[in-house]
Amino acid sequence: MAPKVSPLLLYAFLFLSLFFSQISSSPSAFDFINQLQGSKKGDRVKGLYNLKKYLKTFGYINDLSYNSSSWDADYFSDQLESAIRTYQTRRHLNSTGILDADTVRQMTKPRCGVADIINGRPGGPSEVVPNYRFYPGEPKWPNQKSQLTFGFAPGTPAKFFIPVYTALRDWHNVGHFSFQRTQYEHADLKFSLARGDHGDGVPFDGPGGNYAHAFSPTIGICHFDADENWVDHDPSPHSLDIRSVAIHEIGHLLGLDHSEVPGAVMWSEFEYGQKRRDLTPDDINGIRALYHF
Ligand SMILES: [Zn+2]
Ligand SMILES: [Zn+2]
């Protein structure tokens, strides 16, 4: 005789399986890196070309002179090994040149879309002590222009307003800058959401992966990836804190590049469910050094 299953139990089971499958899946654009774990120089592994593209996007490979159909696209070359070593050094990981578990764990985290190394070199000022960085050439707002205007593109969800104001206020509290809201098209700092390839050469990639970027002075443009689950309150493991990301992207708008100090607001990676809303001494030293105040 077949055992009788109560419909209630069956529903509970279906609900729980759905729930757990959602928790365990949370797909990210960087998930492909997991399949490459353990790769090392001399290997040929399907998908290594995508890793090279990832490292090029974030500034660790200058030039990919071949395409995905070339015979060496998925070959673990000297160039790839050296790029991975540089990445590992910058992340304070063992500089093995091998795509080991620690490196994969770091690389698959969601991150800001701004490259860590621009035009083949990190910005100043220090090569020795890990700290804040400027962009090469140190682009900044003119020192006499300390009042900047900001605006949101028409249609920006209202939940972005308060977290962005608050992040601007936090930069203001450090000194030098003040911020005033104005119409989007006349603003020095322009905030908007964008999706996929949106025409500025740095496409977004769906949920996870790269979630926002902003340009150095005096371009003033900041894009949030419209495919992320953004929240203006304490984030759950499945949502991204607008205020934490805004304070980081505003740092770029003011002239700071990615810091090498883990925990600094200007560190590149930031995860769903995380909060990093407070400027650290490294961030504050950076903005003070750039604007001499
Ligand atoms: Zn960034
Ligand atoms: Zn963009």
Side-chain angles (χ1 to χ4, degrees):
M1 191 174 91
K4 250 185 149 177
V5 179
S6 132
L8 195 65
L9 266 177
L10 191 64
Y11 286 134
F13 173 75
L14 283 174
F15 173 77
L16 280 175
S17 358
L18 201 68
F19 181 71
F20 283 114
S21 70
Q22 291 214 335
I23 281 189
S24 58
S25 58
S26 67
S28 156
F30 298 157
D31 284 348
F32 73 92
I33 300 171
N34 287 309
Q35 273 94 60
L36 304 172
Q37 187 172 318
S39 315
K40 57 186 185 314
K41 191 161 86 176
D43 289 350
R44 193 179 293 277
V45 184
K46 191 159 173 47
L48 278 180
Y49 181 70
N50 291 328
L51 179 68
K52 293 176 186 174
K53 282 205 300 189
Y54 171 103
L55 289 163
K56 179 168 187 293
T57 300
F58 299 118
Y60 294 89
I61 289 180
N62 265 343
D63 183 33
L64 269 184
S65 49
Y66 45 84
N67 61 36
S68 58
S69 56
S70 305
W71 75 272
D72 50 358
D74 287 328
Y75 179 68
F76 202 120
S77 56
D78 287 342
Q79 178 198 43
L80 179 55
E81 186 188 55
S82 139
I84 289 174
R85 276 187 198 282
T86 308
Y87 179 90
Q88 290 166 329
T89 305
R90 244 192 107 106
R91 292 297 181 288
H92 314 293
L93 301 167
N94 288 331
S95 173
T96 58
I98 297 170
L99 198 63
D100 52 36
D102 287 343
T103 308
V104 168
R105 197 171 305 118
Q106 188 67 34
M107 282 183 172
T108 48
K109 288 181 181 177
R111 57 162 292 154
C112 171
V114 174
D116 299 325
I117 300 173
I118 294 166
N119 298 331
R121 65 191 177 96
S126 171
E127 299 290 335
V128 184
V129 184
N131 66 358
Y132 58 82
R133 294 276 188 183
F134 306 142
Y135 292 95
E138 302 188 13
K140 55 189 269 195
W141 296 91
N143 257 54
Q144 66 278 15
K145 188 176 167 67
S146 59
Q147 185 174 83
L148 301 177
T149 55
F150 69 97
F152 297 94
T156 303
K159 66 180 173 186
F160 279 81
F161 299 165
I162 302 274
V164 171
Y165 299 156
T166 312
L168 287 166
R169 184 206 61 198
D170 290 341
W171 280 109
H172 162 77
N173 285 344
V174 167
H176 188 68
F177 284 107
S178 61
F179 303 97
Q180 194 172 22
R181 187 167 174 181
T182 187
Q183 281 186 316
Y184 177 76
E185 56 269 31
H186 303 126
D188 297 314
L189 312 180
K190 293 178 157 76
F191 296 93
S192 64
L193 271 70
R195 172 174 280 124
D197 190 349
H198 52 281
D200 59 9
V202 272
F204 284 131
D205 49 13
N210 134 28
Y211 51 69
H213 53 236
F215 294 87
S216 59
T218 51
I219 301 171
I221 290 173
C222 171
H223 291 146
F224 296 92
D225 185 348
D227 286 329
E228 310 294 346
N229 183 24
W230 296 105
V231 290
D232 58 354
H233 48 75
D234 280 359
S236 79
H238 305 288
S239 55
L240 207 48
D241 183 39
I242 299 172
R243 185 172 154 194
S244 300
V245 173
I247 198 168
H248 174 102
E249 300 305 331
I250 293 164
H252 287 315
L253 294 174
L254 299 179
L256 294 180
D257 195 358
H258 288 144
S259 171
E260 295 179 341
V261 177
V265 157
M266 294 314 295
W267 177 256
S268 328
E269 283 85 13
F270 182 74
E271 299 186 70
Y272 267 65
Q274 194 183 348
K275 281 195 293 183
R276 195 168 58 209
R277 297 173 169 181
D278 298 320
L279 295 172
T280 66
D282 178 66
D283 305 302
I284 296 167
N285 291 340
I287 200 75
R288 287 196 172 142
L290 186 57
Y291 288 94
H292 312 293
F293 63 92

